């Protein structure tokens, strides 16, 4: 029943997002942004203008890179900042499901349709995966439901809808973590490995692979210590340690493989090129000359980054094209972008602080072993302060610190919303804790319902507590107003600004 509620709400928000972006894109003139805009080299067909009018708002900013890669492959050096899985998915849809439309839509038109359909389905998969992961980790049905419903109105909504890889990455990451929590380690490694082919921060998920099996190994050793003696105990200890070592090494290699393979492909493309400038369409070559984009050329010397001891193209691009580095974004003119990221950063800081305050001893022990006064880790207390949440809070805090100190800080909202469940868990936890209209019993009876509003004398259905709370927004608690106000305002503003090439990236 909860999954159905979540899926229905997710489908509704996807439909509203597509409708609103079309209306707002038509109503607001596009800003002439200094962004990547490759020339169209294909003649438009009958339905291209209609699709561009309806879905053109999904193609701005970084989406242009993904669409270009899906259509033309990796031509320009800075295209390699965008990982290949999402363009492959788009191209696969164009060549299969949308192939019957090839007489009516150009490749560009079919790619826009693929973005709308593909990201819609991927978002539904991601919300199901998040709900399943939340049920397993939090062991609290109400908190899992509310977290998943909040995810449906995520502040990063426009990036889950437009031609970005966030929905794909979220589906694979949350799904992989769910499999890892359930003990399906190999399948989890495959899912997380595929995720690292969608976004570079998929490599950070290796931390979960190292931590969760270690937790299981410590639990096994604790059981063997109490139940076995002599040589048998030593052999079992060795078996657990060897299994953990093999799992960690093999899993790390599997997850890192797509990233390494993509960097090798970039190295071969530019350091040992096998194409000449004559093979590049003239309009695309003219754009490269105008914007100083590097293209592979077998008759030109290799770029300087090829001579480095570790020639990583991704690091070179982030440094040269995007000026990404430690504290480089800490400038007075970037204050508006820091303010834009402040709400998400606040949620991340609150989650870490609240969790440490509730579990200081657990945090100092890294959640790996228990004391005589602590409960068993395999039977955690339900809710956000469960010991099982520890590694997710650490992961969220690492993302927050890295995003704030080393990245373009305005990216922090989508960076964390597509990579970690913690922003939604802490938001749902605060709502259930502080909103009088939400009936929060001390027991873990799985129900979410609105209390009777004595002033109106009626009882409200709460199959979806978010939609039930909205009519009472002005009379709800300051916490509810802050959280829902943040989620919904970013949900709408992102569509209005991003889809018209205004600064919302």
């Amino acid at each position: 029943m909860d999954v159905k509620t979540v899926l229905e709400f997710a489908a509704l928000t996807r439909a509203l997002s597509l409708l609103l972006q079309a209306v707002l894109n038509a109503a607001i003139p596009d800003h002439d942004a200094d962004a990547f805009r490759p020339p169209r080299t294909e003649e438009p067909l009958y339905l291209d203008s209609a699709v561009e009018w309806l879905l053109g708002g999904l193609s701005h900013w970084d989406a242009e890179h993904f669409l270009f890669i899906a259509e033309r492959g990796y031509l320009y050096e800075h295209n390699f900042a965008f990982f290949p899985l999402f363009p492959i998915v788009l191209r696969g849809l164009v060549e299969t499901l949308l192939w019957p439309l090839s007489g009516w839509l150009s490749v560009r038109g079919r790619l826009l349709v693929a973005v709308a359909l593909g990201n819609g389905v991927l978002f539904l998969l991601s919300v199901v995966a998040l709900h399943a992961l939340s049920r397993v980790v939090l062991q609290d049905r109400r908190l899992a439901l509310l977290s998943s419903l909040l995810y449906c109105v995520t502040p990063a909504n426009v990036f889950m809808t437009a031609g970005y890889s966030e929905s794909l990455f979220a589906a694979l990451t949350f799904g992989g973590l769910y499999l890892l929590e359930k003990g399906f380690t190999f399948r989890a490694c495959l899912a997380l490995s595929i995720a690292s082919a969608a976004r570079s921060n998929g490599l950070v998920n290796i931390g979960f692979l190292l931590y969760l099996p270690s937790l299981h190994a410590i639990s096994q050793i604790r059981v063997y210590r109490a139940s076995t003696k002599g040589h048998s105990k030593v052999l079992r200890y060795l078996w657990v340690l060897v299994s953990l070592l093999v799992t960690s090494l093999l899993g790390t290699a599997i997850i890192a493989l797509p990233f390494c393979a993509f960097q090798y492909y970039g190295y071969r493309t530019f350091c040992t090129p096998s194409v000449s400038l004559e093979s590049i369409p003239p309009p695309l070559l003219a754009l490269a000359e105008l914007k100083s984009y590097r293209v592979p050329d077998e008759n030109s010397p290799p770029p300087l980054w090829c001579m480095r001891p570790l020639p990583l193209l991704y690091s070179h691009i982030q440094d040269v094209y995007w000026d990404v580095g430690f504290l480089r974004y800490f400038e007075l003119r970037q204050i508006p972008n820091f303010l834009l990221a402040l709400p998400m950063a606040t949620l991340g800081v609150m989650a870490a602080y609240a969790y440490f305050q509730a579990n200081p001893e657990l945090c100092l022990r890294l959640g790996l072993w228990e004391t005589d006064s602590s409960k068993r880790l395999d039977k955690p207390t339900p809710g956000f302060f469960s010991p099982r949440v520890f590694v997710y809070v650490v992961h969220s805090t690492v993302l927050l610190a890295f995003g704030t100190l080393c990245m373009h800080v305005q990216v922090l909202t989508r960076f964390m919303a597509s990579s970690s469940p913690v922003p939604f868990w802490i938001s749902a936890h605060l709502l259930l804790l502080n909103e009088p209209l939400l009936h929060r019993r001390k027991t873990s009876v799985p129900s979410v319902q609105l209390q009777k509003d004595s002033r109106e004398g009626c009882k409200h259905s709460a199959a979806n507590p978010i939609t039930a709370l909205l009519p009472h927004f002005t009379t709800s608690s300051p916490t509810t107003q802050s959280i829902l106000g943040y989620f919904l305002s970013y949900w709408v503003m992102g569509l209005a600004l991003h889809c018209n090439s205004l600064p919302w990236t």
Side-chain angles (χ1 to χ4, degrees), residues 207-425:
F208 289 103
L209 177 70
L210 299 177
Y211 182 84
L212 293 176
S214 298
L215 202 63
H216 178 66
I218 291 174
S219 178
Q220 282 186 306
I221 289 175
R222 191 165 58 241
V223 171
Y224 294 152
R225 185 176 59 188
S227 61
T228 58
K229 297 180 180 180
H231 296 295
S232 176
K233 178 187 291 189
V234 174
L235 291 176
R236 293 196 177 191
Y237 283 179
L238 288 175
W239 171 251
V240 170
L241 293 175
V242 170
S243 299
L244 176 61
L245 181 62
V246 171
T247 298
S248 300
L249 292 176
L250 184 60
T252 298
I254 292 173
I255 294 174
L257 180 61
F259 178 87
C260 298
F262 185 53
Q263 297 312 298
Y264 178 72
Y265 172 61
Y267 177 87
R268 289 295 303 271
T269 300
F270 286 96
C271 300
T272 58
S274 58
V275 298
S276 62
L277 298 181
E278 289 75 17
S279 63
I280 301 174
L284 301 181
L285 188 59
L287 177 66
E289 294 173 352
L290 177 66
K291 296 289 188 177
S292 298
Y293 296 155
R294 179 180 288 276
V295 295
D297 180 16
E298 61 183 355
N299 299 314
S300 297
L304 293 178
W305 63 265
C306 293
M307 311 303 174
R308 295 175 181 171
L310 186 62
L312 287 179
L313 176 53
Y314 185 76
S315 299
H316 166 74
I317 293 170
Q318 294 296 327
D319 178 35
V320 173
Y321 288 91
W322 273 272
D323 193 31
V324 170
F326 183 65
L327 298 183
R328 290 188 187 180
Y329 222 57
F330 280 67
E331 301 174 337
L332 288 177
R333 64 190 180 95
Q334 300 298 347
I335 288 178
N337 287 321
F338 276 90
L339 293 176
L340 189 67
L342 184 60
M344 181 60 74
T346 301
L347 287 177
V349 171
M350 289 180 66
Y353 178 76
Y355 194 86
F356 182 81
Q357 285 291 101
N359 300 292
E361 188 179 359
L362 175 76
C363 294
L364 293 175
R365 292 184 282 105
L366 302 180
L368 289 176
W369 59 87
E370 60 181 0
T371 62
D372 294 336
S373 60
S374 63
K375 294 185 177 181
R376 294 180 60 85
L377 293 180
D378 55 350
K379 295 181 180 179
T381 303
F384 181 73
F385 297 132
S386 164
R388 299 180 73 163
V389 178
F390 170 77
V391 66
Y392 295 90
V393 173
V394 172
H395 173 254
S396 171
T397 305
V398 169
L399 294 181
L400 173 60
F402 182 79
T404 303
L405 299 176
C406 302
M407 295 172 58
H408 291 185
V409 74
Q410 69 267 28
V411 176
L412 190 66
T413 301
R414 62 183 172 99
F415 180 60
M416 292 189 64
S418 63
S419 306
S420 171
V422 169
F424 308 102
W425 289 350

Side-chain angles (χ1 to χ4, degrees), residues 20-98:
L20 277 177
Q21 70 82 27
V23 172
L24 294 169
N25 193 34
I28 303 173
D30 279 357
H31 174 62
D32 186 17
D34 183 20
F36 180 64
R37 289 184 179 177
R40 309 282 184 261
T41 59
E42 189 179 13
E43 288 295 324
L45 298 179
Y46 302 105
L47 296 180
D48 277 324
S49 59
V51 168
E52 189 70 33
W53 186 85
L54 288 171
L55 303 176
L58 306 179
S59 66
H60 295 159
W61 295 109
D62 289 354
E64 281 286 10
H65 286 276
F66 286 112
L67 294 172
F68 178 80
I69 294 166
E71 183 176 0
R72 294 285 180 179
Y74 286 91
L75 175 62
Y76 303 123
E77 186 179 59
H78 67 301
N79 289 150
F80 278 82
F82 304 91
F83 279 49
L85 183 60
F86 186 58
I88 289 172
V89 170
L90 294 181
R91 190 70 190 200
L93 289 173
V94 165
E95 299 296 342
T96 55
L97 184 66
L98 300 176

